[in-house]
Amino acid sequence: MQENEIQNNKLQILGKLAASLAHEIRNPLSVIQLNLELLKTADKKEEVDESIDGCLSAAKRIQTLIETTLDFSRTQSTERSPHNLNDIIKSAADILSVKMNAAKIKLSKDLDQALPFININKNKILQVALNLITNSIEAIGSCGEIKIRTYIEKHENSELVVMMVEDNGGGISDDLKEKIFTDFFTNKKNGTGLGLSVCKMILEEHCASISLDSQLGSYTRFFVKFKLSGTI
Ligand SMILES: Nc1ncnc2c1ncn2[C@@H]1O[C@H](COP(=O)(O)OP(=O)(O)OP(=O)(O)O)[C@@H](O)[C@H]1O
Ligand SMILES: [Mg+2]
């Protein structure tokens, strides 16, 4: 590769990193804002404590995001270790619980307790779960249901560890099913259109796949599938 090609590549990656950092920080930031709003009217000690804890964990998430992005731009490597996908889903659900409660969205989790550990970068996969659940919250608007399932999908020669995020929001029309994964595609007033392309990028780094099934006006299901081979 020519020197200027390498430089161009680096600039492209840095541009994507900066954009994705800006995108990811908006999630915990809105959680902090919502908790501070709640704190204004909280009169019971438990309510105050709950809002403060919500702010603290969201602030910690921003800190981790900045640290991992700095790490990434330094080394461009993805450190991985064995994790249980169910734990990551529980963390994501905790982080977004204030948002879901405020929007009267019910979350049900059906997590396979026998799920094997997979070799992943915990923070990045948490980012994927947060993006998918946030999209579901936004698709529902208010009053609806999100279901998250984990399970093992057995094929003749392989096994996949699957996370499914389902919502009963507006659904996605067939002509948009591919477009939504491209950088900056959004149909939201304040969206960056980077959420799903960041998910795709992270999952490609993990040799995992993302796919969807949706019925306009009825439901949307996103499937994230990790290969079990090469994991522990
Ligand atoms: N669960 C869903 N239900 C319906 N439409 C969805 C769902 N998830 C994604 N989409 C569609 O895909 C588009 C792209 O999603 P993506 O997360 O990449 O960006 P965004 O949500 O629009 O912006 P941002 O993530 O920056 O807030 C959304 O604008 C929306 O039209
Ligand atoms: Mg999004």
Side-chain angles (χ1 to χ4, degrees):
M1 219 188 272
Q2 299 277 312
E3 184 61 32
N4 55 354
E5 260 185 272
I6 296 173
Q7 206 54 33
N8 267 349
N9 262 1
K10 274 192 179 164
L11 280 176
Q12 256 186 12
I13 293 169
L14 270 176
K16 262 199 155 179
L17 269 175
S20 93
L21 181 65
H23 173 266
E24 300 311 324
I25 282 179
R26 292 191 326 162
N27 266 333
L29 207 53
S30 70
V31 170
I32 292 177
Q33 275 164 344
L34 195 59
N35 272 305
L36 290 176
E37 283 296 327
L38 289 173
L39 207 51
K40 265 193 191 166
T41 52
D43 41 27
K44 288 197 206 99
K45 176 149 185 349
E46 304 111 67
E47 286 172 1
V48 173
D49 286 349
E50 207 177 308
S51 294
I52 293 175
D53 285 348
C55 286
L56 287 173
S57 68
K60 183 154 185 289
R61 168 116 191 99
I62 294 180
Q63 197 177 18
T64 313
L65 278 169
I66 293 173
E67 276 161 14
T68 45
T69 305
L70 287 177
D71 275 0
F72 187 82
S73 57
R74 270 197 291 266
T75 63
Q76 288 181 27
S77 75
T78 306
E79 238 175 68
R80 296 184 202 179
S81 49
H83 288 283
N84 187 331
L85 203 51
N86 293 344
D87 293 335
I88 293 178
I89 290 168
K90 284 178 203 152
S91 302
D94 277 350
I95 291 171
L96 294 174
S97 67
V98 214
K99 263 196 178 178
M100 288 189 276
N101 291 340
K104 296 193 168 55
I105 292 172
K106 182 177 172 276
L107 173 73
S108 56
K109 298 194 279 298
D110 178 6
L111 308 179
D112 182 346
Q113 294 311 316
L115 214 63
F117 279 40
I118 45 175
N119 219 10
I120 50 178
N121 182 293
K122 188 177 131 205
N123 278 314
K124 292 196 170 189
I125 300 305
L126 175 63
Q127 202 166 315
V128 170
L130 288 171
N131 283 350
L132 293 181
I133 302 170
T134 301
N135 277 347
S136 287
I137 296 173
E138 289 166 354
I140 292 171
S142 74
C143 301
E145 191 175 2
I146 298 175
K147 291 182 192 162
I148 306 181
R149 268 188 73 201
T150 55
Y151 56 94
I152 298 170
E153 195 175 280
K154 287 193 192 327
H155 294 269
E156 209 177 323
N157 294 315
S158 64
E159 284 189 350
L160 301 171
V161 173
V162 186
M163 164 174 79
M164 183 203 74
V165 179
E166 175 180 333
D167 65 71
N168 61 353
I172 301 172
S173 61
D174 285 342
D175 58 322
L176 290 188
K177 280 177 184 162
E178 278 183 24
K179 284 195 193 131
I180 55 171
F181 290 102
T182 48
D183 291 350
F184 305 110
F185 176 86
T186 183
N187 64 5
K188 296 172 193 169
K189 204 168 135 249
N190 295 313
T192 65
L194 280 169
L196 286 175
S197 51
V198 166
C199 289
K200 205 172 158 206
M201 186 175 77
I202 292 174
L203 293 167
E204 274 168 7
E205 286 167 11
H206 283 80
C207 300
S209 69
I210 180 163
S211 57
L212 75 140
D213 168 23
S214 181
Q215 198 72 52
L216 207 56
S218 178
Y219 69 86
T220 300
R221 292 182 191 130
F222 276 91
F223 299 89
V224 172
K225 302 186 181 187
F226 296 88
K227 285 186 198 130
L228 205 44
S229 58
T231 61
I232 54 147

